[in-house]
């Protein structure tokens, strides 16, 4: 089975992915991990193979953060902008 995990570096989700990924590879699955970051050059790149897992990194903008701050979190606009940023990062 081919599996793709979406994650961001650091935190509990990253820890979960880094524990489950190698275990699933040992069970015979193909595992890819896509990290969405906010501080890298645009584009999708294959960074490395780690314990049988393919690690990819994509860059997304941080405009959603600023819209969230400007609207005091009272609208859903930041969520929509974040979705658009992630779609651009993967295209």
């Amino acid at each position: 089975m081919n599996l793709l995990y979406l994650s961001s570096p650091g935190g509990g989700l990253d820890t979960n992915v880094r524990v489950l990924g190698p275990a699933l590879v040992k069970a015979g699955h193909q595992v890819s991990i896509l990290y969405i970051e906010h501080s890298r050059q645009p584009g999708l790149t294959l960074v490395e193979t780690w314990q049988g897992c393919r690690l990819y990194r994509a860059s997304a903008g941080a405009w959603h953060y600023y819209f969230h701050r400007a609207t005091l979190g009272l609208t859903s606009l930041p969520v929509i902008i974040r979705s658009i940023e992630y779609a651009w990062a993967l295209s």
Side-chain angles (χ1 to χ4, degrees):
M1 181 183 300
N2 295 322
L3 301 168
L4 173 66
Y5 283 103
L6 299 176
S7 184
S8 58
L13 180 59
D14 183 36
T15 302
N16 186 20
V17 167
R18 289 189 174 261
V19 169
L20 286 178
L24 290 168
V25 168
K26 288 179 185 175
H29 302 287
Q30 293 180 352
V31 178
S32 298
I33 303 170
L34 173 60
Y35 287 106
I36 298 179
E37 300 177 334
H38 300 288
S39 62
R40 295 177 36 85
Q41 296 296 326
L44 177 67
T45 58
L46 173 62
V47 175
E48 63 181 299
T49 301
W50 173 77
Q51 294 188 5
C53 300
R54 290 175 294 189
L55 302 179
Y56 295 90
R57 298 196 188 276
S59 176
W63 283 102
H64 67 279
Y65 171 79
Y66 299 110
F67 276 97
H68 180 72
R69 292 293 218 178
T71 61
L72 302 175
L74 299 176
T75 70
S76 60
L77 185 60
V79 175
I80 296 168
I81 293 172
R82 182 178 58 200
S83 300
I84 293 169
E85 289 173 338
Y86 286 3
W88 280 339
L90 300 177
S91 63

